[in-house]
């Protein structure tokens, strides 16, 4: 009987706890719903208030409104919804003229507000450009104020992510100013400038005219200093490849850069698959343009081991490019006597790195066979062409 009474008491206790837990959960859900609704109502009234405040004649009121927009977007639990509703309320058009204000605080506040409105919102990016934000941003990029230039570069980066904006940004003359940022900007400004230029390079209609030889030296310097397998290196090598494939001045510029070709060779050795693909492409562009001029310069920097490795480990495109480049780098008749032994040593070293010492001999044999097969294919094509 005592046991039964204890069990009954325990069951009653558990039932009571369950009922209490359910009540607490219901209260919490109701409280969360109330909080969300309260926030929604508060947000809508605040958005209306800010949109009106931005139209005030007093600049201080407008600066305060711009700061409150940024603050609101940073604290909002539903940022994407808030961005869209702010744009619908018409806050973008009055923010754009503040970018050309003689008041530094007005420029700073409007830049940050527009940046926060544009992030992760394609429609807002397009609306900001349509509202005429690019010319004022160009003016800011020409200033000597490092902080404002960095923010303007970040804004261009964000706006350039929208495909619809790329052509406008390019034709209004932004790329040369971004190239200047590569040399004279802050660290963050340089990173954002590279990313913005990479975004703009996707606009095929204008890709060849985005960059010129002036960008080669700062890009090589940044590539030299960064980690070769980073996303930043992938973008930088893509831009270098673009310049070298389209500009004779760019190809001349890289030979004048300190360790210019060496930096590309090091990227082939240590970069990510995409960085390697672009670095090999850049070296191939040099050789294609003038084999006699660039062959020795590339060989001098020790490119062969990295290229051989790329024929095995790289992307499909980089493997093909590496094979073509190796063919272009082949020795002249006078150098052929020592070439087989040197080549075998290099290939064996790569095989050890790829498959270990135990399987190195077999891997090296396969690599050499592949190279011989490739050489025979090219010879046959040459014979057919002559025939």
């Amino acid at each position: 009987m005592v046991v039964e009474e204890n069990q009954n008491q325990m069951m009653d206790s558990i039932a009571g706890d369950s009922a209490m837990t359910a009540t607490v959960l219901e209260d919490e859900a109701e409280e969360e719903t109330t909080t969300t609704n309260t926030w929604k109502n508060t947000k809508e009234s605040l958005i209306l208030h800010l949109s009106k405040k931005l139209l005030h004649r007093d600049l201080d009121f407008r600066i305060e409104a711009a700061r409150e927009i940024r603050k609101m977007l940073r604290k909002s639990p539903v940022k994407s919804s808030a961005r869209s509703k702010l744009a619908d309320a018409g806050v973008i058009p009055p923010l754009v003229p503040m970018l050309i204000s003689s008041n530094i605080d007005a420029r700073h506040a409007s830049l940050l507000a527009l940046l926060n409105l544009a992030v992760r919102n394609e429609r807002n990016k397009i609306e900001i450009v349509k509202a005429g934000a690019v010319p004022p941003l160009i003016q800011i990029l020409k200033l000597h104020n490092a902080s404002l230039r960095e923010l303007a570069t970040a804004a261009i980066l964000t706006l350039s992510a929208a495909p619809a904006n790329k052509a406008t940004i390019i034709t209004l003359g932004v790329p040369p100013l971004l190239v200047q940022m590569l040399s004279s900007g802050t660290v963050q400004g340089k990173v954002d400038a590279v990313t913005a230029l990479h975004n703009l390079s996707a606009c095929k209609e204008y890709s060849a005219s985005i960059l010129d030889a002036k960008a080669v030296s700062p890009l090589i310097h940044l590539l030299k200093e960064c980690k070769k397998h980073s996303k930043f290196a992938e973008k930088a090598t893509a831009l270098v490849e673009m310049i070298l494939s389209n500009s004779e001045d760019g190809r001349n510029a890289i030979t004048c850069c300190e360790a210019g070709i060496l930096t590309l060779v090091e990227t082939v050795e240590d970069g990510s698959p995409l960085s390697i693909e672009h670095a090999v492409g850049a070296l191939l562009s040099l050789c294609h343009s003038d084999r006699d001029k660039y062959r020795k310069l590339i060989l001098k920097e020790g490119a062969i081991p990295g290229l051989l490795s790329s024929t095995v480990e790289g992307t499909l495109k980089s493997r093909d490019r590496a094979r073509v480049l190796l063919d272009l780098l082949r020795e002249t008749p006078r150098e052929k006597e020592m070439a087989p032994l040197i080549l075998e040593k290099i290939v064996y070293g790569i095989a050890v790195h790829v498959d270990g010492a135990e399987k190195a001999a077999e891997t090296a044999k396969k690599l050499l066979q592949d190279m011989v097969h490739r050489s025979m294919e090219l010879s046959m094509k040459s014979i057919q062409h002559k025939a």
Side-chain angles (χ1 to χ4, degrees), residues 44-58 61-62 65 69 86 89-91 94:
E44 289 177 355
S45 60
L46 179 57
I47 287 172
L48 184 61
H49 168 69
L50 291 174
S51 64
K52 291 179 179 179
K53 199 170 181 179
L54 280 171
L55 299 174
H56 201 283
R57 290 184 179 181
D58 191 327
F61 274 72
R62 301 201 297 275
I69 286 172
L86 279 162
V91 302

Side-chain angles (χ1 to χ4, degrees), residues 228-229 234 270-279 313-315 318:
K228 303 296 187 294
H229 57 270
E234 291 176 358
D270 302 324
S272 68
L274 194 54
S275 293
I276 293 171
E277 181 181 305
H278 291 308
E313 297 181 306
T315 64
S318 65

